[in-house]
Amino acid sequence: MSLWFAILQGVVQGLTEFLPVSSSGHLVLVQTLFGASTESNYMLFNVLLHFGTLLSVIVAFWKDIKELFVEFFGWIRDGFKINGHPHRRFIVMLLLTIVPMFAVLPIKSKLEGAFSSPLLVGLLLLVTAAILFLSEKAPKKHKTEENATWLDALIVGISQCFAVLPGLSRSGTTICTGLFRGFSRDFAVRFAFIMSLPVILGANILELVDVVKDPAAAMGDVTVACCIVGILAAMLSGLAAIRMVRFVSKRGNFRPFVVYCTLIGTITIVASLIKMV
């Protein structure tokens, strides 16, 4: 693997992981374009790219994560009593979002394989565009960790399960579901990105299991230098993507992403149908 390709992979991973345009869907399209499965050929490199995006969330939301970490031990010390602490409510909400994923993570790779045809990816990109567009009609309420309900958190967690399908954006789906449940725009974005931490970490652990089984095949021709620049590219582009989503959400619409998903989805569908004919 060349350094420029490592950087390209890192940038694509970082941007599509957090922009509401579906990282898994773009991975399928990139694989189709290059005619090879980059994920299977470079499993360890793929894990490291996800580690880079994990770092970007930690850096972007360090203040919240630090408060959650401190309150977690206070929560245990007080016998798991919330006592009106917003960050303790936030912790419970995060735990609730993880519950539905336990049913999905073990079959995540099978679902991605079943729905990884370019045609289905194109259709699901149009679904992502529709979800983003409809989010503009969501009731403008101001729920935060102080008054959001456990049901709100669970529903957002369930929506995240559907986003394992290539073409359906995880960030877009969870942010919009939060908006539909009455979350404030800032909290919907913060909650969606912070709740991604255990999911990204869990997915990395599952991928690491495959790496351990066959480390030579997992490494491929990837050098240490490629790994380093790939991680940095994924982290920096991830930070840029998070900042962009926060900026766009504050403006009150996701129109740029609606247009992008609609355009790419339509092109993918047309190209797939032409190829089938």
Side-chain angles (χ1 to χ4, degrees):
M1 177 186 290
S2 63
L3 286 176
W4 75 264
F5 188 64
I7 294 172
L8 175 64
Q9 288 283 93
V11 170
V12 170
Q13 174 63 38
L15 291 178
T16 60
E17 182 72 36
F18 299 119
L19 294 180
V21 295
S22 177
S23 61
S24 57
H26 279 71
L27 179 61
V28 171
L29 297 180
V30 168
Q31 290 172 359
T32 302
L33 180 63
F34 283 92
S37 177
T38 55
E39 186 169 10
S40 61
N41 291 340
Y42 307 112
M43 284 189 295
L44 179 58
F45 183 68
N46 186 58
V47 171
L48 293 175
L49 291 185
H50 280 86
F51 176 68
T53 57
L54 190 74
L55 289 176
S56 63
V57 176
I58 294 174
V59 172
F61 298 97
W62 172 244
K63 183 178 179 180
D64 288 290
I65 293 170
K66 183 176 68 173
E67 287 292 338
L68 290 171
F69 188 76
V70 171
E71 281 297 334
F72 177 74
F73 291 102
W75 186 44
I76 295 175
R77 184 186 63 245
D78 294 341
F80 297 99
K81 294 179 181 178
I82 295 177
N83 295 332
H85 291 275
H87 280 90
R88 295 184 186 182
R89 285 180 54 82
F90 203 138
I91 292 169
V92 176
M93 292 176 68
L94 290 174
L95 292 174
L96 286 172
T97 64
I98 296 173
V99 174
M101 291 303 295
F102 280 114
V104 176
L105 279 177
I107 59 173
K108 179 175 180 289
S109 59
K110 294 181 180 179
L111 287 173
E112 288 178 338
F115 290 87
S116 61
S117 77
L119 178 60
L120 287 174
V121 169
L123 291 171
L124 288 173
L125 280 170
L126 294 184
V127 173
T128 294
I131 292 172
L132 293 171
F133 179 75
L134 291 174
S135 70
E136 296 180 22
K137 309 298 180 182
K140 291 179 174 57
K141 295 184 180 179
H142 303 284
K143 288 183 181 179
T144 65
E145 58 266 48
E146 296 182 1
N147 55 0
T149 67
W150 306 143
L151 180 61
D152 293 332
L154 185 60
I155 290 175
V156 175
I158 292 173
S159 74
Q160 182 171 237
C161 294
F162 291 98
V164 301
L165 300 176
L168 200 59
S169 167
R170 193 209 66 81
S171 62
T173 301
T174 52
I175 290 172
C176 292
T177 302
L179 293 174
F180 289 132
R181 295 300 301 176
F183 288 5
S184 70
R185 294 192 175 276
D186 177 68
F187 181 63
V189 173
R190 283 195 297 122
F191 188 68
F193 284 133
I194 293 175
M195 69 180 277
S196 73
L197 287 173
V199 175
I200 296 174
L201 184 60
N204 278 4
I205 291 173
L206 290 178
E207 289 182 353
L208 277 174
V209 172
D210 294 329
V211 170
V212 172
K213 290 179 181 178
D214 192 358
M219 192 65 179
D221 61 350
V222 182
T223 64
V224 174
C226 286
C227 292
I228 293 174
V229 298
I231 292 173
L232 288 175
M235 183 182 73
L236 294 175
S237 59
L239 283 169
I242 291 172
R243 176 169 291 189
M244 189 183 302
V245 171
R246 297 184 82 168
F247 174 76
V248 172
S249 66
K250 286 181 180 179
R251 293 181 59 190
N253 70 72
F254 292 100
R255 292 292 175 86
F257 304 119
V258 172
V259 173
Y260 177 82
C261 289
T262 300
L263 181 62
I264 297 299
T266 302
I267 292 174
T268 303
I269 291 171
V270 172
S272 300
L273 292 176
I274 292 174
K275 187 176 180 180
M276 290 172 62
V277 173

